[in-house]
Amino acid sequence: MRKKVTIVGAGNVGATTAHWLAAKELADVVLVDVVEGIPQGKALDLLQAMPVEGCDVSITGDNDYGPTAGSDVVVITAGFPRKPGMSRDDLLKANAQIVQTATEKAVQASPQCILIVVTNPLDAMCEVARRTSGFPRNRVLGMAGVLDSARFRTFIAAELKVSVDNVHAFVLGGHGDQMVPLPRFSTVAGVPIPELLDAATIERLVKRTAAGGGEIVSLLKTGSAYYAPSRAIVEMVDAILKDKHKILPCAAYLEGEFGMRGLFLGVPCKLGATGLESVFEVTLTVEEQAALGKSADAVRELVAALG
Ligand SMILES: NC(=O)c1ccc[n+]([C@@H]2O[C@H](COP(=O)([O-])OP(=O)(O)OC[C@H]3O[C@@H](n4cnc5c(N)ncnc54)[C@H](O)[C@@H]3O)[C@@H](O)[C@H]2O)c1
């Protein structure tokens, strides 16, 4: 039997996630949205692309959670995106309500699912989903690090004029201006980038990575990035559905790892069929640990504001 993935929110990120998932023939897809006709219309349009793509998957859309029953993975993208001049944190209150409702209904229909939260502000929304679902930590994950590290990889590859395939990047911390890209664990064909680029260049690429989402928001003016975010979501879904034991940077609820407890933060996670299998810990320098601590403080502040 084919796997089943529900995507809540059939907007830019949600619908594009459905597109990548279907084109990879990874799972049957159910799109859910509050706006009548949008999930149905987008699902039907995408379904009609499948004969051309040669993929046998079912893609349906609904305003109700009934058809989502028994999903293996539920991706939550429902919520407002940023507009120019807004930070991710400005979205806190409005999106918390949406994520709570979406989680309640999704887990009622799919009590065994693995939740991947995408709605911003990401780390705080993961906490909303965790509290609402009551799921153990292995079944609540947030997507941000795969996207942030893909942005860092893009800039490193362009700077060194090498294939993106040769570049691995390591990003920790919350999804926001406090993210912590780690150059000494970021490599080109296995060589750490501090051996290939001077410190000023690395600093420039790190800054562009941390501001990567904002750069796109200011260009689009009416919304935020969705091609790279949705492809990053599918990387996590793929690792889970194929039980790959793949290490990817994700937001996970920490229980002592990296010296942190009781909050979601971006860390390297081993993903497989049960969701989060383990956090892949590395030893950080004093400066890196301090930067991660600052990032954690920003997440704690937002979670406290949730009440
Ligand atoms: N974590 C990341 O790295 C990352 C990257 C990109 C975007 N995002 C976030 O993802 C979210 C979605 O972004 P987008 O560009 O797709 O926005 P969008 O406005 O295009 O789509 C959001 C969709 O959610 C729907 N929605 C609203 N309330 C709902 C509810 N209660 N139930 C079901 N659907 C509901 C809306 O009708 C809309 O179709 C935003 O919060 C954005 O900031 C996160």
PDB file of all heavy atoms in Angstrom, residues 8-14 32-35 38 65 77-82 91 95 98 101-102 117-120 122 143-144 147 175 224-226 229, ligand 1:
ATOM      1  N   VAL A   8      -1.518  20.337   5.477  1.00  0.00           N
ATOM      2  CA  VAL A   8      -2.520  21.303   5.932  1.00  0.00           C
ATOM      3  C   VAL A   8      -2.043  22.693   5.521  1.00  0.00           C
ATOM      4  O   VAL A   8      -0.953  23.118   5.882  1.00  0.00           O
ATOM      5  CB  VAL A   8      -2.724  21.230   7.456  1.00  0.00           C
ATOM      6  CG1 VAL A   8      -3.884  22.136   7.858  1.00  0.00           C
ATOM      7  CG2 VAL A   8      -2.979  19.802   7.907  1.00  0.00           C
ATOM      8  N   GLY A   9      -2.913  23.380   4.760  1.00  0.00           N
ATOM      9  CA  GLY A   9      -2.524  24.662   4.154  1.00  0.00           C
ATOM     10  C   GLY A   9      -2.174  24.404   2.702  1.00  0.00           C
ATOM     11  O   GLY A   9      -1.144  23.790   2.403  1.00  0.00           O
ATOM     12  N   ALA A  10      -3.081  24.819   1.803  1.00  0.00           N
ATOM     13  CA  ALA A  10      -2.848  24.581   0.370  1.00  0.00           C
ATOM     14  C   ALA A  10      -2.399  25.869  -0.317  1.00  0.00           C
ATOM     15  O   ALA A  10      -2.745  26.140  -1.455  1.00  0.00           O
ATOM     16  CB  ALA A  10      -4.117  24.036  -0.282  1.00  0.00           C
ATOM     17  N   GLY A  11      -1.624  26.666   0.424  1.00  0.00           N
ATOM     18  CA  GLY A  11      -1.082  27.898  -0.137  1.00  0.00           C
ATOM     19  C   GLY A  11       0.201  27.620  -0.909  1.00  0.00           C
ATOM     20  O   GLY A  11       0.387  26.521  -1.448  1.00  0.00           O
ATOM     21  N   ASN A  12       1.066  28.603  -0.934  1.00  0.00           N
ATOM     22  CA  ASN A  12       2.291  28.465  -1.736  1.00  0.00           C
ATOM     23  C   ASN A  12       3.169  27.304  -1.279  1.00  0.00           C
ATOM     24  O   ASN A  12       3.581  26.477  -2.093  1.00  0.00           O
ATOM     25  CB  ASN A  12       3.105  29.769  -1.675  1.00  0.00           C
ATOM     26  CG  ASN A  12       2.517  30.842  -2.572  1.00  0.00           C
ATOM     27  OD1 ASN A  12       1.832  30.537  -3.552  1.00  0.00           O
ATOM     28  ND2 ASN A  12       2.770  32.092  -2.244  1.00  0.00           N
ATOM     29  N   VAL A  13       3.445  27.243   0.024  1.00  0.00           N
ATOM     30  CA  VAL A  13       4.335  26.178   0.509  1.00  0.00           C
ATOM     31  C   VAL A  13       3.627  24.821   0.420  1.00  0.00           C
ATOM     32  O   VAL A  13       4.204  23.838  -0.060  1.00  0.00           O
ATOM     33  CB  VAL A  13       4.802  26.450   1.955  1.00  0.00           C
ATOM     34  CG1 VAL A  13       5.644  25.282   2.478  1.00  0.00           C
ATOM     35  CG2 VAL A  13       5.609  27.746   2.029  1.00  0.00           C
ATOM     36  N   GLY A  14       2.373  24.772   0.868  1.00  0.00           N
ATOM     37  CA  GLY A  14       1.650  23.503   0.905  1.00  0.00           C
ATOM     38  C   GLY A  14       1.462  22.895  -0.479  1.00  0.00           C
ATOM     39  O   GLY A  14       1.760  21.716  -0.703  1.00  0.00           O
ATOM     40  N   VAL A  32      -5.369  20.026   2.602  1.00  0.00           N
ATOM     41  CA  VAL A  32      -6.490  20.563   3.381  1.00  0.00           C
ATOM     42  C   VAL A  32      -6.303  22.064   3.555  1.00  0.00           C
ATOM     43  O   VAL A  32      -5.191  22.521   3.851  1.00  0.00           O
ATOM     44  CB  VAL A  32      -6.559  19.901   4.790  1.00  0.00           C
ATOM     45  CG1 VAL A  32      -7.696  20.498   5.602  1.00  0.00           C
ATOM     46  CG2 VAL A  32      -6.743  18.399   4.676  1.00  0.00           C
ATOM     47  N   ASP A  33      -7.384  22.805   3.371  1.00  0.00           N
ATOM     48  CA  ASP A  33      -7.314  24.255   3.587  1.00  0.00           C
ATOM     49  C   ASP A  33      -8.690  24.739   4.029  1.00  0.00           C
ATOM     50  O   ASP A  33      -9.702  24.075   3.772  1.00  0.00           O
ATOM     51  CB  ASP A  33      -6.899  24.963   2.289  1.00  0.00           C
ATOM     52  CG  ASP A  33      -6.308  26.344   2.537  1.00  0.00           C
ATOM     53  OD1 ASP A  33      -7.067  27.269   2.884  1.00  0.00           O
ATOM     54  OD2 ASP A  33      -5.079  26.509   2.381  1.00  0.00           O
ATOM     55  N   VAL A  34      -8.725  25.911   4.674  1.00  0.00           N
ATOM     56  CA  VAL A  34     -10.021  26.463   5.093  1.00  0.00           C
ATOM     57  C   VAL A  34     -10.762  27.129   3.933  1.00  0.00           C
ATOM     58  O   VAL A  34     -11.979  27.282   3.989  1.00  0.00           O
ATOM     59  CB  VAL A  34      -9.868  27.504   6.242  1.00  0.00           C
ATOM     60  CG1 VAL A  34      -9.665  26.818   7.571  1.00  0.00           C
ATOM     61  CG2 VAL A  34      -8.763  28.505   5.955  1.00  0.00           C
ATOM     62  N   VAL A  35     -10.040  27.520   2.907  1.00  0.00           N
ATOM     63  CA  VAL A  35     -10.697  28.212   1.785  1.00  0.00           C
ATOM     64  C   VAL A  35     -11.329  27.185   0.853  1.00  0.00           C
ATOM     65  O   VAL A  35     -10.634  26.270   0.364  1.00  0.00           O
ATOM     66  CB  VAL A  35      -9.686  29.081   0.999  1.00  0.00           C
ATOM     67  CG1 VAL A  35     -10.397  29.828  -0.134  1.00  0.00           C
ATOM     68  CG2 VAL A  35      -8.989  30.068   1.924  1.00  0.00           C
ATOM     69  N   ILE A  38     -10.020  25.818  -3.008  1.00  0.00           N
ATOM     70  CA  ILE A  38      -8.564  25.923  -3.260  1.00  0.00           C
ATOM     71  C   ILE A  38      -7.857  24.566  -3.167  1.00  0.00           C
ATOM     72  O   ILE A  38      -7.176  24.153  -4.117  1.00  0.00           O
ATOM     73  CB  ILE A  38      -7.907  26.976  -2.338  1.00  0.00           C
ATOM     74  CG1 ILE A  38      -8.362  28.379  -2.745  1.00  0.00           C
ATOM     75  CG2 ILE A  38      -6.384  26.881  -2.339  1.00  0.00           C
ATOM     76  CD1 ILE A  38      -7.835  28.888  -4.075  1.00  0.00           C
ATOM     77  N   TYR A  65     -11.150  17.111   7.495  1.00  0.00           N
ATOM     78  CA  TYR A  65     -10.020  16.219   7.784  1.00  0.00           C
ATOM     79  C   TYR A  65     -10.357  14.740   7.572  1.00  0.00           C
ATOM     80  O   TYR A  65      -9.480  13.893   7.679  1.00  0.00           O
ATOM     81  CB  TYR A  65      -9.509  16.458   9.205  1.00  0.00           C
ATOM     82  CG  TYR A  65      -8.705  17.742   9.310  1.00  0.00           C
ATOM     83  CD1 TYR A  65      -9.335  18.981   9.301  1.00  0.00           C
ATOM     84  CD2 TYR A  65      -7.319  17.712   9.377  1.00  0.00           C
ATOM     85  CE1 TYR A  65      -8.615  20.175   9.368  1.00  0.00           C
ATOM     86  CE2 TYR A  65      -6.588  18.895   9.449  1.00  0.00           C
ATOM     87  CZ  TYR A  65      -7.245  20.115   9.443  1.00  0.00           C
ATOM     88  OH  TYR A  65      -6.511  21.279   9.495  1.00  0.00           O
ATOM     89  N   THR A  77       1.457  23.574   7.136  1.00  0.00           N
ATOM     90  CA  THR A  77       1.936  24.817   6.521  1.00  0.00           C
ATOM     91  C   THR A  77       0.866  25.901   6.644  1.00  0.00           C
ATOM     92  O   THR A  77       1.018  26.977   6.072  1.00  0.00           O
ATOM     93  CB  THR A  77       2.274  24.631   5.019  1.00  0.00           C
ATOM     94  OG1 THR A  77       1.038  24.550   4.269  1.00  0.00           O
ATOM     95  CG2 THR A  77       3.086  23.393   4.756  1.00  0.00           C
ATOM     96  N   ALA A  78      -0.224  25.606   7.349  1.00  0.00           N
ATOM     97  CA  ALA A  78      -1.325  26.574   7.452  1.00  0.00           C
ATOM     98  C   ALA A  78      -0.886  27.775   8.275  1.00  0.00           C
ATOM     99  O   ALA A  78      -0.243  27.628   9.310  1.00  0.00           O
ATOM    100  CB  ALA A  78      -2.528  25.908   8.117  1.00  0.00           C
ATOM    101  N   GLY A  79      -1.218  28.952   7.790  1.00  0.00           N
ATOM    102  CA  GLY A  79      -0.884  30.154   8.543  1.00  0.00           C
ATOM    103  C   GLY A  79      -0.493  31.285   7.625  1.00  0.00           C
ATOM    104  O   GLY A  79      -0.431  31.121   6.410  1.00  0.00           O
ATOM    105  N   PHE A  80      -0.242  32.432   8.228  1.00  0.00           N
ATOM    106  CA  PHE A  80       0.117  33.605   7.428  1.00  0.00           C
ATOM    107  C   PHE A  80       1.618  33.619   7.155  1.00  0.00           C
ATOM    108  O   PHE A  80       2.402  33.292   8.030  1.00  0.00           O
ATOM    109  CB  PHE A  80      -0.271  34.888   8.185  1.00  0.00           C
ATOM    110  CG  PHE A  80      -1.744  34.972   8.452  1.00  0.00           C
ATOM    111  CD1 PHE A  80      -2.250  34.745   9.731  1.00  0.00           C
ATOM    112  CD2 PHE A  80      -2.632  35.267   7.436  1.00  0.00           C
ATOM    113  CE1 PHE A  80      -3.613  34.818   9.993  1.00  0.00           C
ATOM    114  CE2 PHE A  80      -4.003  35.340   7.680  1.00  0.00           C
ATOM    115  CZ  PHE A  80      -4.480  35.108   8.959  1.00  0.00           C
ATOM    116  N   PRO A  81       1.991  34.005   5.937  1.00  0.00           N
ATOM    117  CA  PRO A  81       3.419  34.204   5.669  1.00  0.00           C
ATOM    118  C   PRO A  81       3.805  35.656   5.994  1.00  0.00           C
ATOM    119  O   PRO A  81       2.939  36.485   6.264  1.00  0.00           O
ATOM    120  CB  PRO A  81       3.516  33.950   4.164  1.00  0.00           C
ATOM    121  CG  PRO A  81       2.186  34.364   3.624  1.00  0.00           C
ATOM    122  CD  PRO A  81       1.169  34.195   4.738  1.00  0.00           C
ATOM    123  N   ARG A  82       5.099  35.931   5.925  1.00  0.00           N
ATOM    124  CA  ARG A  82       5.573  37.303   6.204  1.00  0.00           C
ATOM    125  C   ARG A  82       5.301  38.238   5.043  1.00  0.00           C
ATOM    126  O   ARG A  82       5.259  37.825   3.890  1.00  0.00           O
ATOM    127  CB  ARG A  82       7.085  37.277   6.422  1.00  0.00           C
ATOM    128  CG  ARG A  82       7.463  36.810   7.778  1.00  0.00           C
ATOM    129  CD  ARG A  82       8.891  37.138   8.063  1.00  0.00           C
ATOM    130  NE  ARG A  82       9.835  36.305   7.353  1.00  0.00           N
ATOM    131  CZ  ARG A  82      11.139  36.528   7.305  1.00  0.00           C
ATOM    132  NH1 ARG A  82      11.637  37.587   7.901  1.00  0.00           N
ATOM    133  NH2 ARG A  82      11.944  35.707   6.669  1.00  0.00           N
ATOM    134  N   LEU A  91       4.337  36.983  13.447  1.00  0.00           N
ATOM    135  CA  LEU A  91       3.245  36.076  13.084  1.00  0.00           C
ATOM    136  C   LEU A  91       2.731  35.260  14.267  1.00  0.00           C
ATOM    137  O   LEU A  91       1.767  34.511  14.143  1.00  0.00           O
ATOM    138  CB  LEU A  91       3.728  35.103  11.997  1.00  0.00           C
ATOM    139  CG  LEU A  91       4.259  35.704  10.689  1.00  0.00           C
ATOM    140  CD1 LEU A  91       4.935  34.624   9.851  1.00  0.00           C
ATOM    141  CD2 LEU A  91       3.120  36.333   9.899  1.00  0.00           C
ATOM    142  N   ASN A  95      -0.754  32.807  14.072  1.00  0.00           N
ATOM    143  CA  ASN A  95      -0.434  31.468  13.590  1.00  0.00           C
ATOM    144  C   ASN A  95      -0.541  30.401  14.679  1.00  0.00           C
ATOM    145  O   ASN A  95      -0.814  29.230  14.384  1.00  0.00           O
ATOM    146  CB  ASN A  95       0.944  31.457  12.935  1.00  0.00           C
ATOM    147  CG  ASN A  95       0.893  32.061  11.537  1.00  0.00           C
ATOM    148  OD1 ASN A  95      -0.190  32.349  11.022  1.00  0.00           O
ATOM    149  ND2 ASN A  95       2.038  32.248  10.908  1.00  0.00           N
ATOM    150  N   ILE A  98      -3.990  29.035  14.542  1.00  0.00           N
ATOM    151  CA  ILE A  98      -4.183  28.201  13.343  1.00  0.00           C
ATOM    152  C   ILE A  98      -3.496  26.840  13.521  1.00  0.00           C
ATOM    153  O   ILE A  98      -4.074  25.789  13.216  1.00  0.00           O
ATOM    154  CB  ILE A  98      -3.637  28.937  12.091  1.00  0.00           C
ATOM    155  CG1 ILE A  98      -4.512  30.161  11.792  1.00  0.00           C
ATOM    156  CG2 ILE A  98      -3.560  28.011  10.885  1.00  0.00           C
ATOM    157  CD1 ILE A  98      -3.988  31.054  10.682  1.00  0.00           C
ATOM    158  N   THR A 101      -5.453  24.571  15.958  1.00  0.00           N
ATOM    159  CA  THR A 101      -6.647  23.964  15.345  1.00  0.00           C
ATOM    160  C   THR A 101      -6.244  22.867  14.359  1.00  0.00           C
ATOM    161  O   THR A 101      -6.823  21.770  14.351  1.00  0.00           O
ATOM    162  CB  THR A 101      -7.444  25.049  14.580  1.00  0.00           C
ATOM    163  OG1 THR A 101      -7.652  26.136  15.453  1.00  0.00           O
ATOM    164  CG2 THR A 101      -8.776  24.529  14.080  1.00  0.00           C
ATOM    165  N   ALA A 102      -5.273  23.167  13.517  1.00  0.00           N
ATOM    166  CA  ALA A 102      -4.843  22.198  12.496  1.00  0.00           C
ATOM    167  C   ALA A 102      -4.310  20.930  13.159  1.00  0.00           C
ATOM    168  O   ALA A 102      -4.618  19.807  12.727  1.00  0.00           O
ATOM    169  CB  ALA A 102      -3.773  22.826  11.605  1.00  0.00           C
ATOM    170  N   VAL A 117       6.098  20.426  11.286  1.00  0.00           N
ATOM    171  CA  VAL A 117       5.574  21.792  11.357  1.00  0.00           C
ATOM    172  C   VAL A 117       6.452  22.706  10.502  1.00  0.00           C
ATOM    173  O   VAL A 117       7.680  22.581  10.503  1.00  0.00           O
ATOM    174  CB  VAL A 117       5.567  22.287  12.820  1.00  0.00           C
ATOM    175  CG1 VAL A 117       5.038  23.708  12.920  1.00  0.00           C
ATOM    176  CG2 VAL A 117       4.741  21.348  13.691  1.00  0.00           C
ATOM    177  N   VAL A 118       5.775  23.581   9.754  1.00  0.00           N
ATOM    178  CA  VAL A 118       6.501  24.490   8.857  1.00  0.00           C
ATOM    179  C   VAL A 118       6.138  25.953   9.154  1.00  0.00           C
ATOM    180  O   VAL A 118       6.930  26.872   8.962  1.00  0.00           O
ATOM    181  CB  VAL A 118       6.173  24.154   7.379  1.00  0.00           C
ATOM    182  CG1 VAL A 118       6.926  25.055   6.416  1.00  0.00           C
ATOM    183  CG2 VAL A 118       6.480  22.687   7.084  1.00  0.00           C
ATOM    184  N   THR A 119       4.916  26.159   9.656  1.00  0.00           N
ATOM    185  CA  THR A 119       4.396  27.509   9.917  1.00  0.00           C
ATOM    186  C   THR A 119       5.344  28.287  10.838  1.00  0.00           C
ATOM    187  O   THR A 119       5.868  27.736  11.813  1.00  0.00           O
ATOM    188  CB  THR A 119       2.997  27.383  10.568  1.00  0.00           C
ATOM    189  OG1 THR A 119       2.188  26.552   9.754  1.00  0.00           O
ATOM    190  CG2 THR A 119       2.344  28.743  10.728  1.00  0.00           C
ATOM    191  N   ASN A 120       5.528  29.552  10.552  1.00  0.00           N
ATOM    192  CA  ASN A 120       6.383  30.425  11.356  1.00  0.00           C
ATOM    193  C   ASN A 120       5.597  31.166  12.431  1.00  0.00           C
ATOM    194  O   ASN A 120       4.384  31.381  12.264  1.00  0.00           O
ATOM    195  CB  ASN A 120       7.059  31.460  10.435  1.00  0.00           C
ATOM    196  CG  ASN A 120       8.309  30.905   9.792  1.00  0.00           C
ATOM    197  OD1 ASN A 120       9.102  30.224  10.446  1.00  0.00           O
ATOM    198  ND2 ASN A 120       8.504  31.213   8.522  1.00  0.00           N
ATOM    199  N   LEU A 122       8.781  29.284  13.493  1.00  0.00           N
ATOM    200  CA  LEU A 122       8.844  27.833  13.434  1.00  0.00           C
ATOM    201  C   LEU A 122       8.988  27.123  14.781  1.00  0.00           C
ATOM    202  O   LEU A 122       8.196  26.236  15.095  1.00  0.00           O
ATOM    203  CB  LEU A 122      10.005  27.462  12.484  1.00  0.00           C
ATOM    204  CG  LEU A 122      10.158  26.043  11.978  1.00  0.00           C
ATOM    205  CD1 LEU A 122      11.025  25.173  12.824  1.00  0.00           C
ATOM    206  CD2 LEU A 122       8.808  25.362  11.739  1.00  0.00           C
ATOM    207  N   MET A 143      10.503  21.911  10.225  1.00  0.00           N
ATOM    208  CA  MET A 143      11.384  22.092   9.057  1.00  0.00           C
ATOM    209  C   MET A 143      11.903  23.526   9.010  1.00  0.00           C
ATOM    210  O   MET A 143      11.126  24.462   8.967  1.00  0.00           O
ATOM    211  CB  MET A 143      10.623  21.801   7.756  1.00  0.00           C
ATOM    212  CG  MET A 143      11.526  21.743   6.533  1.00  0.00           C
ATOM    213  SD  MET A 143      12.371  23.264   6.029  1.00  0.00           S
ATOM    214  CE  MET A 143      11.023  24.266   5.470  1.00  0.00           C
ATOM    215  N   ALA A 144      13.197  23.653   9.059  1.00  0.00           N
ATOM    216  CA  ALA A 144      13.848  24.948   8.849  1.00  0.00           C
ATOM    217  C   ALA A 144      15.306  24.735   8.460  1.00  0.00           C
ATOM    218  O   ALA A 144      15.810  25.340   7.517  1.00  0.00           O
ATOM    219  CB  ALA A 144      13.769  25.824  10.094  1.00  0.00           C
ATOM    220  N   LEU A 147      16.252  23.852   4.897  1.00  0.00           N
ATOM    221  CA  LEU A 147      16.165  25.045   4.050  1.00  0.00           C
ATOM    222  C   LEU A 147      17.352  25.980   4.308  1.00  0.00           C
ATOM    223  O   LEU A 147      18.011  26.430   3.357  1.00  0.00           O
ATOM    224  CB  LEU A 147      14.851  25.775   4.348  1.00  0.00           C
ATOM    225  CG  LEU A 147      14.713  27.177   3.753  1.00  0.00           C
ATOM    226  CD1 LEU A 147      14.710  27.119   2.227  1.00  0.00           C
ATOM    227  CD2 LEU A 147      13.438  27.854   4.263  1.00  0.00           C
ATOM    228  N   HIS A 175      15.087  29.044  13.789  1.00  0.00           N
ATOM    229  CA  HIS A 175      14.898  29.537  12.420  1.00  0.00           C
ATOM    230  C   HIS A 175      14.635  31.030  12.529  1.00  0.00           C
ATOM    231  O   HIS A 175      13.564  31.450  12.902  1.00  0.00           O
ATOM    232  CB  HIS A 175      13.702  28.829  11.795  1.00  0.00           C
ATOM    233  CG  HIS A 175      13.470  29.179  10.363  1.00  0.00           C
ATOM    234  ND1 HIS A 175      14.462  29.195   9.421  1.00  0.00           N
ATOM    235  CD2 HIS A 175      12.338  29.510   9.707  1.00  0.00           C
ATOM    236  CE1 HIS A 175      13.949  29.513   8.242  1.00  0.00           C
ATOM    237  NE2 HIS A 175      12.661  29.719   8.399  1.00  0.00           N
ATOM    238  N   SER A 224       6.189  34.925   1.117  1.00  0.00           N
ATOM    239  CA  SER A 224       7.558  34.498   1.390  1.00  0.00           C
ATOM    240  C   SER A 224       7.928  33.305   0.510  1.00  0.00           C
ATOM    241  O   SER A 224       7.114  32.813  -0.281  1.00  0.00           O
ATOM    242  CB  SER A 224       7.725  34.186   2.881  1.00  0.00           C
ATOM    243  OG  SER A 224       6.822  33.191   3.300  1.00  0.00           O
ATOM    244  N   ALA A 225       9.164  32.846   0.663  1.00  0.00           N
ATOM    245  CA  ALA A 225       9.720  31.795  -0.199  1.00  0.00           C
ATOM    246  C   ALA A 225       8.895  30.510  -0.124  1.00  0.00           C
ATOM    247  O   ALA A 225       8.308  30.210   0.917  1.00  0.00           O
ATOM    248  CB  ALA A 225      11.145  31.501   0.249  1.00  0.00           C
ATOM    249  N   TYR A 226       8.852  29.776  -1.220  1.00  0.00           N
ATOM    250  CA  TYR A 226       8.149  28.481  -1.143  1.00  0.00           C
ATOM    251  C   TYR A 226       8.759  27.354  -1.964  1.00  0.00           C
ATOM    252  O   TYR A 226       8.587  26.205  -1.621  1.00  0.00           O
ATOM    253  CB  TYR A 226       6.663  28.630  -1.488  1.00  0.00           C
ATOM    254  CG  TYR A 226       6.333  29.334  -2.779  1.00  0.00           C
ATOM    255  CD1 TYR A 226       6.017  28.610  -3.924  1.00  0.00           C
ATOM    256  CD2 TYR A 226       6.315  30.717  -2.856  1.00  0.00           C
ATOM    257  CE1 TYR A 226       5.681  29.249  -5.106  1.00  0.00           C
ATOM    258  CE2 TYR A 226       5.997  31.373  -4.045  1.00  0.00           C
ATOM    259  CZ  TYR A 226       5.677  30.633  -5.160  1.00  0.00           C
ATOM    260  OH  TYR A 226       5.365  31.276  -6.339  1.00  0.00           O
ATOM    261  N   PRO A 229      11.665  26.043   0.411  1.00  0.00           N
ATOM    262  CA  PRO A 229      11.073  25.467   1.628  1.00  0.00           C
ATOM    263  C   PRO A 229      10.332  24.157   1.361  1.00  0.00           C
ATOM    264  O   PRO A 229      10.481  23.182   2.102  1.00  0.00           O
ATOM    265  CB  PRO A 229      10.088  26.554   2.091  1.00  0.00           C
ATOM    266  CG  PRO A 229      10.668  27.828   1.577  1.00  0.00           C
ATOM    267  CD  PRO A 229      11.305  27.481   0.253  1.00  0.00           C
TER     268      PRO A 229
HETATM  269  N1  LIG B   1       9.822  26.878   8.257  1.00  0.00           N
HETATM  270  C1  LIG B   1      10.221  27.448   7.139  1.00  0.00           C
HETATM  271  O1  LIG B   1      11.392  27.359   6.780  1.00  0.00           O
HETATM  272  C2  LIG B   1       9.223  28.198   6.307  1.00  0.00           C
HETATM  273  C3  LIG B   1       9.529  28.542   4.990  1.00  0.00           C
HETATM  274  C4  LIG B   1       8.554  29.199   4.226  1.00  0.00           C
HETATM  275  C5  LIG B   1       7.328  29.531   4.787  1.00  0.00           C
HETATM  276  N2  LIG B   1       7.085  29.207   6.080  1.00  0.00           N
HETATM  277  C6  LIG B   1       5.808  29.521   6.725  1.00  0.00           C
HETATM  278  O2  LIG B   1       4.791  28.653   6.192  1.00  0.00           O
HETATM  279  C7  LIG B   1       3.516  29.273   6.321  1.00  0.00           C
HETATM  280  C8  LIG B   1       2.764  29.194   4.979  1.00  0.00           C
HETATM  281  O3  LIG B   1       3.411  29.985   4.012  1.00  0.00           O
HETATM  282  P1  LIG B   1       2.787  30.123   2.541  1.00  0.00           P
HETATM  283  O4  LIG B   1       3.740  30.933   1.760  1.00  0.00           O
HETATM  284  O5  LIG B   1       2.351  28.805   2.051  1.00  0.00           O
HETATM  285  O6  LIG B   1       1.477  31.006   2.870  1.00  0.00           O
HETATM  286  P2  LIG B   1       0.125  31.069   2.006  1.00  0.00           P
HETATM  287  O7  LIG B   1      -0.608  32.270   2.496  1.00  0.00           O
HETATM  288  O8  LIG B   1       0.434  30.943   0.565  1.00  0.00           O
HETATM  289  O9  LIG B   1      -0.654  29.737   2.455  1.00  0.00           O
HETATM  290  C9  LIG B   1      -1.152  29.545   3.738  1.00  0.00           C
HETATM  291  C10 LIG B   1      -2.442  28.751   3.598  1.00  0.00           C
HETATM  292  O10 LIG B   1      -2.907  28.401   4.916  1.00  0.00           O
HETATM  293  C11 LIG B   1      -4.328  28.395   4.821  1.00  0.00           C
HETATM  294  N3  LIG B   1      -4.908  28.391   6.166  1.00  0.00           N
HETATM  295  C12 LIG B   1      -5.077  29.432   7.022  1.00  0.00           C
HETATM  296  N4  LIG B   1      -5.653  29.002   8.148  1.00  0.00           N
HETATM  297  C13 LIG B   1      -5.867  27.677   8.009  1.00  0.00           C
HETATM  298  C14 LIG B   1      -6.421  26.670   8.859  1.00  0.00           C
HETATM  299  N5  LIG B   1      -6.891  26.948  10.089  1.00  0.00           N
HETATM  300  N6  LIG B   1      -6.488  25.403   8.368  1.00  0.00           N
HETATM  301  C15 LIG B   1      -6.025  25.107   7.120  1.00  0.00           C
HETATM  302  N7  LIG B   1      -5.480  26.013   6.309  1.00  0.00           N
HETATM  303  C16 LIG B   1      -5.408  27.284   6.743  1.00  0.00           C
HETATM  304  C17 LIG B   1      -4.651  29.638   4.005  1.00  0.00           C
HETATM  305  O11 LIG B   1      -5.972  29.604   3.490  1.00  0.00           O
HETATM  306  C18 LIG B   1      -3.583  29.545   2.914  1.00  0.00           C
HETATM  307  O12 LIG B   1      -4.039  28.835   1.778  1.00  0.00           O
HETATM  308  C19 LIG B   1       3.788  30.708   6.809  1.00  0.00           C
HETATM  309  O13 LIG B   1       3.625  30.778   8.216  1.00  0.00           O
HETATM  310  C20 LIG B   1       5.252  30.922   6.450  1.00  0.00           C
HETATM  311  O14 LIG B   1       5.867  31.899   7.253  1.00  0.00           O
HETATM  312  C21 LIG B   1       8.001  28.559   6.852  1.00  0.00           C
END
